[in-house]
Amino acid sequence: SQQGEEDPQALSIQEGENATMNCSYKTSINNLQWYRQNSGRGLVHLILIRSNEREKHSGRLRVTLDTSKKSSSLLITASRAADTASYFCAPQGGSEKLVFGKGTKLTVNP
Amino acid sequence: EADIYQTPRYLVIGTGKKITLECSQTMGHDKMYWYQQDPGMELHLIHYSYGVNSTEKGDLSSESTVSRIRTEHFPLTLESARPSHTSQYLCASSDPQREYGTQYFGPGTRLLVL
């Protein structure tokens, strides 16, 4: 299992703006998952992108994956105050275990 | 919302006490996990289980122990709590055969050891 590194560590935007956060990893993967964590709560699974996919959408979320650069990005469009949370990526290779980094702390100001 | 539950949600306890953090899920998942997370920091896997009577230590060494006697139940026990155990503990489960290893998390237990 390998850890993803999220960037930036913190991001502050205004409501209605788009938020982009990035994830880099080191070795080949089968899929990559993104999770959200509201303050003091458990993680919630947002989206999974497989290694043979380049882009995936779910509502206001858009995830891209570039396996040649070993990186992924999560875009949240038209952000809302309720999107304020920490976002974690979890690259997954052969192991079923996930390793989480420190995440990106997103603050959406009303 | 995932069908995975943790109790208690908050616990304040004195040094030396024995505590058990409960985790249960109703999704029939074979795989379950315990993570430890300090505020603003990454999650560290401390225990996992691939099914009944299976338990393994995770990537972060922990003085806690776990058991898996029933599929739906994965309690974590600290025999003698210390202030260094103060943290948030998150339980999760997954069914890799159906959902590529997507993990479902409980709400967490915040532990404060005085």
Side-chain angles (χ1 to χ4, degrees):
Chain A
S1 48
Q2 64 172 307
Q3 183 176 33
E5 267 191 48
E6 297 89 354
D7 176 69
Q9 289 189 10
L11 180 60
S12 182
I13 60 174
Q14 295 300 120
E15 215 166 18
E17 293 180 342
N18 295 343
T20 300
M21 49 207 91
N22 305 295
C23 169
S24 59
Y25 57 92
K26 290 189 165 55
T27 61
S28 62
I29 60 172
N30 294 333
N31 64 66
L32 187 142
Q33 304 181 39
W34 284 92
Y35 289 79
R36 183 188 76 230
Q37 184 180 33
N38 291 90
S39 180
R41 304 283 299 181
L43 277 69
V44 174
H45 178 257
L46 294 176
I47 197 165
L48 179 150
I49 186 165
R50 287 183 262 180
S51 60
N52 61 354
E53 296 175 311
R54 291 295 165 259
E55 189 170 310
K56 200 162 181 180
H57 297 254
S58 176
R60 293 184 296 112
L61 305 181
R62 174 178 163 248
V63 167
T64 62
L65 179 64
D66 187 334
T67 53
S68 67
K69 295 181 179 176
K70 293 186 172 56
S71 68
S72 174
S73 68
L74 170 67
L75 168 68
I76 304 174
T77 60
S79 63
R80 305 166 182 167
D83 295 327
T84 294
S86 290
Y87 292 81
F88 297 86
C89 70
Q92 193 170 24
S95 172
E96 288 155 357
K97 294 187 289 180
L98 299 180
V99 182
F100 295 93
K102 293 184 181 178
T104 292
K105 187 170 183 178
L106 173 66
T107 302
V108 181
N109 301 299
Chain B
E1 289 288 322
D3 295 321
I4 180 163
Y5 310 98
Q6 290 186 245
T7 57
R9 290 293 317 282
Y10 304 94
L11 181 60
V12 181
I13 202 159
T15 297
K17 299 290 187 186
K18 177 180 178 178
I19 59 170
T20 297
L21 308 184
E22 302 286 351
C23 176
S24 60
Q25 50 95 5
T26 58
M27 297 174 282
H29 289 168
D30 285 329
K31 294 176 173 52
M32 296 188 73
Y33 312 84
W34 275 104
Y35 295 88
Q36 184 177 343
Q37 184 186 31
D38 292 327
M41 300 299 286
E42 61 264 49
L43 285 76
H44 293 287
L45 180 68
I46 52 174
H47 298 284
Y48 61 99
S49 166
Y50 284 164
V52 170
N53 294 326
S54 148
T55 60
E56 302 285 345
K57 290 198 177 292
D59 303 322
L60 179 70
S61 175
S62 173
E63 293 165 347
S64 58
T65 59
V66 291
S67 62
R68 191 87 183 277
I69 298 170
R70 302 198 316 263
T71 297
E72 61 271 21
H73 198 213
F74 191 39
L76 180 146
T77 298
L78 275 166
E79 289 292 332
S80 179
R82 294 209 300 267
S84 61
H85 297 139
T86 293
S87 191
Q88 175 162 254
Y89 293 84
L90 294 166
C91 180
S93 71
S94 71
D95 183 358
Q97 292 189 357
R98 284 201 299 229
E99 294 170 290
Y100 297 98
T102 296
Q103 292 191 11
Y104 294 87
F105 282 79
T109 294
R110 279 187 183 263
L111 174 64
L112 173 60
V113 184
L114 302 175

